[in-house]
Amino acid sequence: MTRTIGIISGKGGVGKTTITANLSVALSLKFAKKVTAVDCNLTTSHLGMHFGIFFYPKTFNDFLKGDVAINDVTYQHATGVNILPASLNLSDLVGINIFEIREKLQNSLTHSDFVFLDTAPGFGKEALSAIRACEEALLLTTPELPSVTDILKAKNILQQMNVRCLGVIVNKVTGKKFELTKKEIEETVDIEVIGQIPFSFEFSESLSNKTPLVAYNQMSRASIEIFKIAAYLIGENYKEPSLFEKIFSRIFKV
Ligand SMILES: Nc1ncnc2c1ncn2[C@@H]1O[C@H](COP(=O)(O)OP(=O)(O)O)[C@@H](O)[C@H]1O
Ligand SMILES: [Mg+2]
């Protein structure tokens, strides 16, 4: 059965695209799942860049316009993840009825175990049309009040749209005293925090190397937290690498 999961946040820059790419690769690499990642952020599309794909003959936009089949806009990355990139060209928005994402995607990606929808920030029609297309959702926030308050709005929208909330992921955690803690976030939004990903410049480094961090450095603290979230999604436990495994991997670069 295919699970269609939206990665959602109110604010931009919280890490939706980064988490979409890394969770997709984590499930594919570590847990041998068939994963498709779809760029539903049509106005500011970035998903393809996380996989080092910048130019594509056909994009998700063409599929939404009805010009081509889904296979024509599906690109497989070396990690095994299938990506449906949106066009980088704004003029390719012409002729798209964004509210049709749900109907267009329905029954199109049944070969995947997981379909992740990277969404636009906020709750305008671009984001809402993607939320409408998912059955489940992960809510993303940073450990700061403005971002956390947006989670409350997202929670209401999910309820109205009958989308199951899988939990909150807190991203860019530094552990500084002024940050909201896991407990404070859970008390504020009344949703379980299922993962906390540390702030790490490795995300920028891996982006510039055109490879999601979980593939670029599997042993990094941030990668391990993403593997744990991936394991949670499939009801498994992720066994953290031992200190020996980390040292071995650092020395031999495996
Ligand atoms: N945990 C993290 N630590 C440090 N930088 C991060 C982290 N997660 C994401 N980033 C960076 O933050 C920026 C915004 O991330 P992005 O995934 O594009 O956010 P969104 O899709 O929500 O707008 C990118 O430069 C990305 O590399
Ligand atoms: Mg994004």
Short mmCIF file of all heavy atoms in Angstrom, two decimals, residues 77-141:
data_model
loop_
_atom_site.label_atom_id
_atom_site.label_comp_id
_atom_site.label_asym_id
_atom_site.label_seq_id
_atom_site.Cartn_x
_atom_site.Cartn_y
_atom_site.Cartn_z
N HIS A 77 17.17 8.81 -8.84
CA HIS A 77 18.47 9.22 -8.29
C HIS A 77 19.27 7.96 -7.96
O HIS A 77 18.72 6.86 -7.82
CB HIS A 77 18.23 10.04 -7.02
CG HIS A 77 19.47 10.63 -6.44
ND1 HIS A 77 20.01 10.21 -5.24
CD2 HIS A 77 20.30 11.60 -6.90
CE1 HIS A 77 21.09 10.91 -4.99
NE2 HIS A 77 21.30 11.75 -5.97
N ALA A 78 20.59 8.12 -7.84
CA ALA A 78 21.47 6.98 -7.54
C ALA A 78 21.08 6.27 -6.25
O ALA A 78 21.36 5.07 -6.09
CB ALA A 78 22.91 7.48 -7.45
N THR A 79 20.42 6.97 -5.34
CA THR A 79 20.00 6.35 -4.07
C THR A 79 18.76 5.48 -4.25
O THR A 79 18.31 4.84 -3.30
CB THR A 79 19.68 7.43 -3.03
OG1 THR A 79 18.72 8.33 -3.63
CG2 THR A 79 20.91 8.21 -2.60
N GLY A 80 18.19 5.50 -5.44
CA GLY A 80 16.99 4.69 -5.70
C GLY A 80 15.70 5.49 -5.60
O GLY A 80 14.64 5.02 -5.99
N VAL A 81 15.79 6.71 -5.06
CA VAL A 81 14.58 7.53 -4.89
C VAL A 81 14.13 8.07 -6.25
O VAL A 81 14.94 8.54 -7.05
CB VAL A 81 14.88 8.72 -3.93
CG1 VAL A 81 13.70 9.68 -3.88
CG2 VAL A 81 15.20 8.20 -2.55
N ASN A 82 12.82 8.00 -6.48
CA ASN A 82 12.24 8.61 -7.68
C ASN A 82 11.84 10.04 -7.37
O ASN A 82 11.22 10.29 -6.33
CB ASN A 82 11.01 7.84 -8.14
CG ASN A 82 11.39 6.56 -8.86
OD1 ASN A 82 12.37 6.52 -9.60
ND2 ASN A 82 10.63 5.50 -8.61
N ILE A 83 12.18 10.95 -8.26
CA ILE A 83 11.89 12.37 -8.02
C ILE A 83 11.02 12.91 -9.13
O ILE A 83 11.27 12.64 -10.31
CB ILE A 83 13.20 13.18 -7.96
CG1 ILE A 83 14.07 12.63 -6.84
CG2 ILE A 83 12.94 14.66 -7.70
CD1 ILE A 83 15.49 12.47 -7.26
N LEU A 84 10.00 13.67 -8.74
CA LEU A 84 9.18 14.39 -9.71
C LEU A 84 9.46 15.87 -9.51
O LEU A 84 8.83 16.54 -8.69
CB LEU A 84 7.69 14.09 -9.49
CG LEU A 84 7.09 12.87 -10.19
CD1 LEU A 84 7.71 11.58 -9.69
CD2 LEU A 84 5.59 12.83 -10.00
N PRO A 85 10.43 16.41 -10.24
CA PRO A 85 10.81 17.81 -10.04
C PRO A 85 9.83 18.77 -10.73
O PRO A 85 9.31 18.45 -11.79
CB PRO A 85 12.20 17.90 -10.67
CG PRO A 85 12.21 16.81 -11.69
CD PRO A 85 11.23 15.75 -11.28
N ALA A 86 9.63 19.92 -10.08
CA ALA A 86 8.81 20.95 -10.73
C ALA A 86 9.73 21.84 -11.56
O ALA A 86 10.94 21.87 -11.35
CB ALA A 86 8.07 21.76 -9.68
N SER A 87 9.13 22.57 -12.48
CA SER A 87 9.93 23.42 -13.36
C SER A 87 10.51 24.61 -12.59
O SER A 87 9.89 25.13 -11.66
CB SER A 87 9.05 23.93 -14.50
OG SER A 87 9.75 24.90 -15.23
N LEU A 88 11.71 25.04 -12.99
CA LEU A 88 12.33 26.22 -12.37
C LEU A 88 11.85 27.49 -13.07
O LEU A 88 12.16 28.60 -12.63
CB LEU A 88 13.86 26.12 -12.44
CG LEU A 88 14.48 24.91 -11.73
CD1 LEU A 88 15.98 24.89 -11.93
CD2 LEU A 88 14.14 24.94 -10.24
N ASN A 89 11.09 27.29 -14.14
CA ASN A 89 10.66 28.41 -14.97
C ASN A 89 9.22 28.82 -14.60
O ASN A 89 8.30 28.02 -14.75
CB ASN A 89 10.74 27.96 -16.44
CG ASN A 89 10.66 29.12 -17.37
OD1 ASN A 89 10.19 30.20 -16.99
ND2 ASN A 89 11.14 28.92 -18.58
N LEU A 90 9.06 30.06 -14.14
CA LEU A 90 7.72 30.48 -13.68
C LEU A 90 6.68 30.43 -14.79
O LEU A 90 5.50 30.20 -14.52
CB LEU A 90 7.79 31.90 -13.11
CG LEU A 90 8.13 32.02 -11.61
CD1 LEU A 90 8.10 33.48 -11.19
CD2 LEU A 90 7.18 31.20 -10.75
N SER A 91 7.12 30.63 -16.04
CA SER A 91 6.14 30.62 -17.14
C SER A 91 5.50 29.24 -17.30
O SER A 91 4.44 29.11 -17.91
CB SER A 91 6.80 31.07 -18.45
OG SER A 91 7.81 30.14 -18.80
N ASP A 92 6.14 28.21 -16.73
CA ASP A 92 5.56 26.86 -16.81
C ASP A 92 4.38 26.66 -15.85
O ASP A 92 3.84 25.56 -15.75
CB ASP A 92 6.64 25.80 -16.54
CG ASP A 92 7.59 25.64 -17.71
OD1 ASP A 92 7.17 25.92 -18.85
OD2 ASP A 92 8.75 25.27 -17.49
N LEU A 93 4.02 27.74 -15.14
CA LEU A 93 2.83 27.65 -14.28
C LEU A 93 1.55 27.86 -15.10
O LEU A 93 0.46 27.45 -14.70
CB LEU A 93 2.88 28.72 -13.18
CG LEU A 93 3.91 28.50 -12.07
CD1 LEU A 93 4.01 29.73 -11.19
CD2 LEU A 93 3.53 27.28 -11.25
N VAL A 94 1.73 28.47 -16.27
CA VAL A 94 0.57 28.76 -17.12
C VAL A 94 -0.10 27.46 -17.57
O VAL A 94 0.58 26.53 -18.00
CB VAL A 94 1.00 29.60 -18.37
CG1 VAL A 94 -0.19 29.86 -19.29
CG2 VAL A 94 1.64 30.90 -17.92
N GLY A 95 -1.40 27.41 -17.38
CA GLY A 95 -2.14 26.23 -17.84
C GLY A 95 -2.30 25.16 -16.76
O GLY A 95 -2.86 24.10 -17.02
N ILE A 96 -1.79 25.45 -15.55
CA ILE A 96 -1.92 24.45 -14.48
C ILE A 96 -3.06 24.85 -13.54
O ILE A 96 -3.13 25.99 -13.09
CB ILE A 96 -0.61 24.34 -13.66
CG1 ILE A 96 0.50 23.74 -14.52
CG2 ILE A 96 -0.81 23.53 -12.39
CD1 ILE A 96 1.83 23.66 -13.83
N ASN A 97 -3.93 23.89 -13.26
CA ASN A 97 -4.91 24.10 -12.19
C ASN A 97 -4.37 23.37 -10.97
O ASN A 97 -4.46 22.15 -10.86
CB ASN A 97 -6.28 23.55 -12.60
CG ASN A 97 -7.30 23.71 -11.48
OD1 ASN A 97 -6.96 24.19 -10.39
ND2 ASN A 97 -8.54 23.32 -11.74
N ILE A 98 -3.80 24.17 -10.06
CA ILE A 98 -3.06 23.58 -8.95
C ILE A 98 -3.94 22.70 -8.05
O ILE A 98 -3.49 21.76 -7.43
CB ILE A 98 -2.36 24.70 -8.15
CG1 ILE A 98 -1.27 24.11 -7.28
CG2 ILE A 98 -3.30 25.51 -7.32
CD1 ILE A 98 -0.04 24.91 -7.24
N PHE A 99 -5.23 23.01 -8.03
CA PHE A 99 -6.12 22.23 -7.17
C PHE A 99 -6.34 20.81 -7.68
O PHE A 99 -6.95 19.99 -7.03
CB PHE A 99 -7.46 22.96 -6.98
CG PHE A 99 -7.38 23.98 -5.89
CD1 PHE A 99 -7.46 25.33 -6.18
CD2 PHE A 99 -7.18 23.60 -4.56
CE1 PHE A 99 -7.34 26.27 -5.18
CE2 PHE A 99 -7.06 24.54 -3.55
CZ PHE A 99 -7.14 25.88 -3.86
N GLU A 100 -5.80 20.54 -8.88
CA GLU A 100 -5.98 19.19 -9.43
C GLU A 100 -4.88 18.21 -9.01
O GLU A 100 -4.88 17.06 -9.44
CB GLU A 100 -6.01 19.25 -10.96
CG GLU A 100 -7.33 19.77 -11.49
CD GLU A 100 -7.33 19.84 -13.01
OE1 GLU A 100 -6.31 19.47 -13.65
OE2 GLU A 100 -8.36 20.26 -13.57
N ILE A 101 -3.92 18.68 -8.18
CA ILE A 101 -2.80 17.79 -7.80
C ILE A 101 -3.33 16.46 -7.27
O ILE A 101 -2.86 15.40 -7.65
CB ILE A 101 -1.88 18.47 -6.76
CG1 ILE A 101 -1.07 19.59 -7.42
CG2 ILE A 101 -0.92 17.45 -6.12
CD1 ILE A 101 -0.05 20.26 -6.53
N ARG A 102 -4.30 16.52 -6.39
CA ARG A 102 -4.83 15.29 -5.79
C ARG A 102 -5.36 14.32 -6.86
O ARG A 102 -4.96 13.17 -6.92
CB ARG A 102 -5.94 15.64 -4.79
CG ARG A 102 -6.58 14.43 -4.14
CD ARG A 102 -7.81 14.85 -3.35
NE ARG A 102 -8.62 13.71 -2.99
CZ ARG A 102 -8.52 13.07 -1.83
NH1 ARG A 102 -7.65 13.47 -0.94
NH2 ARG A 102 -9.27 12.03 -1.58
N GLU A 103 -6.22 14.85 -7.69
CA GLU A 103 -6.85 13.99 -8.72
C GLU A 103 -5.79 13.44 -9.69
O GLU A 103 -5.83 12.28 -10.09
CB GLU A 103 -7.91 14.77 -9.50
CG GLU A 103 -9.20 15.05 -8.74
CD GLU A 103 -9.03 16.05 -7.59
OE1 GLU A 103 -8.08 16.85 -7.65
OE2 GLU A 103 -9.83 16.00 -6.63
N LYS A 104 -4.82 14.31 -10.03
CA LYS A 104 -3.79 13.87 -10.99
C LYS A 104 -2.89 12.79 -10.39
O LYS A 104 -2.46 11.87 -11.08
CB LYS A 104 -2.93 15.07 -11.42
CG LYS A 104 -3.68 16.12 -12.16
CD LYS A 104 -3.64 15.88 -13.65
CE LYS A 104 -4.43 16.95 -14.36
NZ LYS A 104 -4.51 16.80 -15.78
N LEU A 105 -2.57 12.95 -9.10
CA LEU A 105 -1.64 11.98 -8.49
C LEU A 105 -2.32 10.68 -8.10
O LEU A 105 -1.66 9.64 -8.01
CB LEU A 105 -0.97 12.59 -7.25
CG LEU A 105 0.21 13.53 -7.49
CD1 LEU A 105 0.81 13.99 -6.18
CD2 LEU A 105 1.31 12.86 -8.34
N GLN A 106 -3.62 10.77 -7.85
CA GLN A 106 -4.34 9.58 -7.40
C GLN A 106 -4.13 8.40 -8.35
O GLN A 106 -4.29 8.55 -9.55
CB GLN A 106 -5.83 9.89 -7.29
CG GLN A 106 -6.40 9.48 -5.95
CD GLN A 106 -7.71 10.19 -5.69
OE1 GLN A 106 -8.41 10.57 -6.63
NE2 GLN A 106 -8.06 10.37 -4.44
N ASN A 107 -3.73 7.30 -7.77
CA ASN A 107 -3.49 6.05 -8.54
C ASN A 107 -2.33 6.14 -9.53
O ASN A 107 -2.17 5.26 -10.35
CB ASN A 107 -4.76 5.61 -9.29
CG ASN A 107 -5.94 5.49 -8.36
OD1 ASN A 107 -5.77 5.04 -7.22
ND2 ASN A 107 -7.10 5.90 -8.79
N SER A 108 -1.53 7.21 -9.46
CA SER A 108 -0.42 7.33 -10.41
C SER A 108 0.87 6.75 -9.87
O SER A 108 1.76 6.41 -10.62
CB SER A 108 -0.17 8.80 -10.75
OG SER A 108 -1.25 9.31 -11.45
N LEU A 109 1.00 6.68 -8.55
CA LEU A 109 2.28 6.28 -7.96
C LEU A 109 2.13 5.05 -7.08
O LEU A 109 2.77 4.93 -6.03
CB LEU A 109 2.84 7.46 -7.14
CG LEU A 109 3.17 8.71 -7.99
CD1 LEU A 109 3.38 9.92 -7.11
CD2 LEU A 109 4.41 8.46 -8.84
N THR A 110 1.30 4.14 -7.52
CA THR A 110 0.97 2.98 -6.69
C THR A 110 2.14 2.00 -6.53
O THR A 110 2.11 1.13 -5.68
CB THR A 110 -0.25 2.22 -7.26
OG1 THR A 110 -0.04 2.12 -8.67
CG2 THR A 110 -1.54 2.95 -6.99
N HIS A 111 3.19 2.16 -7.36
CA HIS A 111 4.34 1.26 -7.24
C HIS A 111 5.24 1.67 -6.06
O HIS A 111 6.14 0.94 -5.69
CB HIS A 111 5.15 1.28 -8.54
CG HIS A 111 5.61 2.67 -8.90
ND1 HIS A 111 4.77 3.59 -9.48
CD2 HIS A 111 6.78 3.30 -8.69
CE1 HIS A 111 5.42 4.73 -9.65
NE2 HIS A 111 6.63 4.58 -9.18
N SER A 112 5.00 2.83 -5.47
CA SER A 112 5.84 3.31 -4.37
C SER A 112 5.27 2.88 -3.02
O SER A 112 4.06 2.81 -2.85
CB SER A 112 5.92 4.83 -4.38
OG SER A 112 6.58 5.27 -5.53
N ASP A 113 6.18 2.62 -2.08
CA ASP A 113 5.73 2.40 -0.70
C ASP A 113 5.40 3.75 -0.06
O ASP A 113 4.45 3.88 0.70
CB ASP A 113 6.83 1.72 0.13
CG ASP A 113 7.19 0.36 -0.43
OD1 ASP A 113 6.26 -0.42 -0.69
OD2 ASP A 113 8.41 0.08 -0.62
N PHE A 114 6.25 4.74 -0.37
CA PHE A 114 6.06 6.08 0.19
C PHE A 114 6.09 7.12 -0.92
O PHE A 114 6.94 7.07 -1.81
CB PHE A 114 7.20 6.43 1.16
CG PHE A 114 7.06 5.76 2.50
CD1 PHE A 114 7.61 4.50 2.71
CD2 PHE A 114 6.38 6.39 3.54
CE1 PHE A 114 7.47 3.88 3.94
CE2 PHE A 114 6.25 5.76 4.77
CZ PHE A 114 6.79 4.51 4.97
N VAL A 115 5.17 8.07 -0.84
CA VAL A 115 5.22 9.25 -1.70
C VAL A 115 5.27 10.45 -0.77
O VAL A 115 4.37 10.67 0.03
CB VAL A 115 3.98 9.34 -2.61
CG1 VAL A 115 3.99 10.64 -3.40
CG2 VAL A 115 3.90 8.14 -3.56
N PHE A 116 6.37 11.21 -0.85
CA PHE A 116 6.48 12.42 -0.04
C PHE A 116 6.17 13.63 -0.90
O PHE A 116 6.72 13.77 -2.01
CB PHE A 116 7.89 12.56 0.55
CG PHE A 116 8.15 11.60 1.68
CD1 PHE A 116 8.96 10.50 1.50
CD2 PHE A 116 7.57 11.81 2.92
CE1 PHE A 116 9.19 9.60 2.54
CE2 PHE A 116 7.79 10.92 3.97
CZ PHE A 116 8.60 9.82 3.78
N LEU A 117 5.32 14.49 -0.38
CA LEU A 117 4.99 15.72 -1.10
C LEU A 117 5.69 16.89 -0.41
O LEU A 117 5.38 17.20 0.75
CB LEU A 117 3.48 15.96 -1.12
CG LEU A 117 2.60 14.84 -1.71
CD1 LEU A 117 1.15 15.31 -1.80
CD2 LEU A 117 3.09 14.40 -3.08
N ASP A 118 6.64 17.50 -1.10
CA ASP A 118 7.28 18.71 -0.59
C ASP A 118 6.33 19.86 -0.90
O ASP A 118 5.92 20.04 -2.05
CB ASP A 118 8.63 18.92 -1.30
CG ASP A 118 9.36 20.13 -0.77
OD1 ASP A 118 9.11 20.53 0.39
OD2 ASP A 118 10.20 20.68 -1.52
N THR A 119 5.97 20.63 0.12
CA THR A 119 4.90 21.62 -0.08
C THR A 119 5.44 23.05 -0.03
O THR A 119 6.54 23.30 0.47
CB THR A 119 3.79 21.46 0.98
OG1 THR A 119 4.32 21.79 2.26
CG2 THR A 119 3.25 20.04 1.00
N ALA A 120 4.63 23.97 -0.52
CA ALA A 120 4.95 25.40 -0.44
C ALA A 120 4.74 25.87 0.99
O ALA A 120 3.92 25.30 1.72
CB ALA A 120 4.05 26.17 -1.40
N PRO A 121 5.47 26.91 1.42
CA PRO A 121 5.24 27.41 2.78
C PRO A 121 3.88 28.10 2.89
O PRO A 121 3.29 28.51 1.89
CB PRO A 121 6.37 28.43 2.96
CG PRO A 121 6.79 28.80 1.59
CD PRO A 121 6.51 27.64 0.71
N GLY A 122 3.41 28.21 4.12
CA GLY A 122 2.16 28.92 4.38
C GLY A 122 0.95 28.06 4.06
O GLY A 122 1.06 26.86 3.83
N PHE A 123 -0.21 28.73 4.05
CA PHE A 123 -1.44 27.98 3.83
C PHE A 123 -2.27 28.62 2.71
O PHE A 123 -3.49 28.71 2.78
CB PHE A 123 -2.23 27.88 5.15
CG PHE A 123 -1.38 27.27 6.24
CD1 PHE A 123 -0.96 28.02 7.32
CD2 PHE A 123 -0.96 25.95 6.15
CE1 PHE A 123 -0.14 27.47 8.30
CE2 PHE A 123 -0.13 25.39 7.12
CZ PHE A 123 0.28 26.15 8.19
N GLY A 124 -1.55 29.08 1.70
CA GLY A 124 -2.22 29.60 0.50
C GLY A 124 -2.65 28.45 -0.38
O GLY A 124 -2.48 27.27 -0.02
N LYS A 125 -3.16 28.77 -1.56
CA LYS A 125 -3.76 27.69 -2.37
C LYS A 125 -2.73 26.67 -2.85
O LYS A 125 -3.06 25.49 -3.03
CB LYS A 125 -4.59 28.24 -3.54
CG LYS A 125 -3.84 28.99 -4.58
CD LYS A 125 -4.83 29.42 -5.66
CE LYS A 125 -4.08 30.18 -6.73
NZ LYS A 125 -4.95 30.64 -7.79
N GLU A 126 -1.47 27.10 -2.99
CA GLU A 126 -0.44 26.15 -3.45
C GLU A 126 -0.20 25.07 -2.38
O GLU A 126 -0.15 23.88 -2.68
CB GLU A 126 0.86 26.92 -3.72
CG GLU A 126 1.87 26.12 -4.51
CD GLU A 126 3.11 26.94 -4.82
OE1 GLU A 126 3.18 28.14 -4.46
OE2 GLU A 126 4.03 26.37 -5.42
N ALA A 127 -0.07 25.52 -1.13
CA ALA A 127 0.15 24.55 -0.05
C ALA A 127 -1.11 23.72 0.18
O ALA A 127 -1.04 22.49 0.33
CB ALA A 127 0.54 25.29 1.23
N LEU A 128 -2.26 24.38 0.18
CA LEU A 128 -3.51 23.65 0.47
C LEU A 128 -3.80 22.57 -0.56
O LEU A 128 -4.29 21.50 -0.24
CB LEU A 128 -4.70 24.63 0.54
CG LEU A 128 -4.71 25.58 1.75
CD1 LEU A 128 -5.95 26.45 1.73
CD2 LEU A 128 -4.63 24.81 3.06
N SER A 129 -3.45 22.86 -1.82
CA SER A 129 -3.73 21.85 -2.85
C SER A 129 -2.85 20.62 -2.65
O SER A 129 -3.26 19.50 -2.94
CB SER A 129 -3.53 22.42 -4.25
OG SER A 129 -2.20 22.83 -4.41
N ALA A 130 -1.63 20.83 -2.12
CA ALA A 130 -0.77 19.67 -1.83
C ALA A 130 -1.27 18.93 -0.59
O ALA A 130 -1.31 17.69 -0.56
CB ALA A 130 0.68 20.13 -1.62
N ILE A 131 -1.68 19.68 0.43
CA ILE A 131 -2.19 19.04 1.66
C ILE A 131 -3.42 18.18 1.31
O ILE A 131 -3.59 17.07 1.81
CB ILE A 131 -2.53 20.09 2.74
CG1 ILE A 131 -1.28 20.86 3.15
CG2 ILE A 131 -3.20 19.43 3.95
CD1 ILE A 131 -1.51 22.04 4.08
N ARG A 132 -4.24 18.71 0.42
CA ARG A 132 -5.44 18.00 -0.03
C ARG A 132 -5.09 16.66 -0.69
O ARG A 132 -5.88 15.74 -0.70
CB ARG A 132 -6.17 18.89 -1.05
CG ARG A 132 -7.64 18.82 -0.98
CD ARG A 132 -8.26 19.68 -2.07
NE ARG A 132 -9.22 18.89 -2.82
CZ ARG A 132 -9.07 18.50 -4.08
NH1 ARG A 132 -8.01 18.85 -4.77
NH2 ARG A 132 -9.99 17.77 -4.66
N ALA A 133 -3.86 16.61 -1.24
CA ALA A 133 -3.46 15.40 -1.99
C ALA A 133 -2.85 14.32 -1.09
O ALA A 133 -2.51 13.25 -1.56
CB ALA A 133 -2.47 15.78 -3.08
N CYS A 134 -2.64 14.64 0.21
CA CYS A 134 -2.01 13.60 1.06
C CYS A 134 -3.00 12.96 2.01
O CYS A 134 -4.04 13.51 2.33
CB CYS A 134 -0.80 14.11 1.82
SG CYS A 134 -0.70 15.80 2.18
N GLU A 135 -2.61 11.77 2.44
CA GLU A 135 -3.42 11.08 3.45
C GLU A 135 -2.86 11.31 4.84
O GLU A 135 -3.56 11.25 5.83
CB GLU A 135 -3.43 9.57 3.15
CG GLU A 135 -4.37 9.18 2.04
CD GLU A 135 -3.73 8.22 1.06
OE1 GLU A 135 -2.80 7.49 1.46
OE2 GLU A 135 -4.16 8.20 -0.11
N GLU A 136 -1.53 11.53 4.89
CA GLU A 136 -0.85 11.73 6.17
C GLU A 136 0.06 12.94 6.04
O GLU A 136 0.43 13.34 4.93
CB GLU A 136 -0.02 10.49 6.52
CG GLU A 136 -0.84 9.21 6.59
CD GLU A 136 0.04 7.99 6.81
OE1 GLU A 136 0.79 7.63 5.87
OE2 GLU A 136 -0.01 7.41 7.89
N ALA A 137 0.45 13.47 7.20
CA ALA A 137 1.32 14.66 7.14
C ALA A 137 2.29 14.68 8.31
O ALA A 137 1.98 14.23 9.42
CB ALA A 137 0.48 15.92 7.15
N LEU A 138 3.49 15.21 8.02
CA LEU A 138 4.47 15.51 9.06
C LEU A 138 4.57 17.02 9.16
O LEU A 138 4.73 17.69 8.13
CB LEU A 138 5.84 14.92 8.68
CG LEU A 138 5.97 13.41 8.79
CD1 LEU A 138 7.23 12.94 8.08
CD2 LEU A 138 6.00 12.98 10.26
N LEU A 139 4.45 17.54 10.37
CA LEU A 139 4.51 18.99 10.55
C LEU A 139 5.91 19.37 11.00
O LEU A 139 6.46 18.77 11.93
CB LEU A 139 3.47 19.43 11.58
CG LEU A 139 2.02 19.10 11.20
CD1 LEU A 139 1.06 19.57 12.29
CD2 LEU A 139 1.65 19.75 9.88
N LEU A 140 6.44 20.36 10.33
CA LEU A 140 7.83 20.74 10.58
C LEU A 140 7.89 22.11 11.23
O LEU A 140 7.17 23.04 10.84
CB LEU A 140 8.54 20.76 9.22
CG LEU A 140 10.04 20.67 9.21
CD1 LEU A 140 10.50 19.41 9.92
CD2 LEU A 140 10.55 20.67 7.77
N THR A 141 8.75 22.24 12.24
CA THR A 141 8.93 23.53 12.89
C THR A 141 10.38 23.68 13.33
O THR A 141 11.10 22.69 13.45
CB THR A 141 7.99 23.68 14.11
OG1 THR A 141 8.14 25.00 14.66
CG2 THR A 141 8.29 22.66 15.20
#
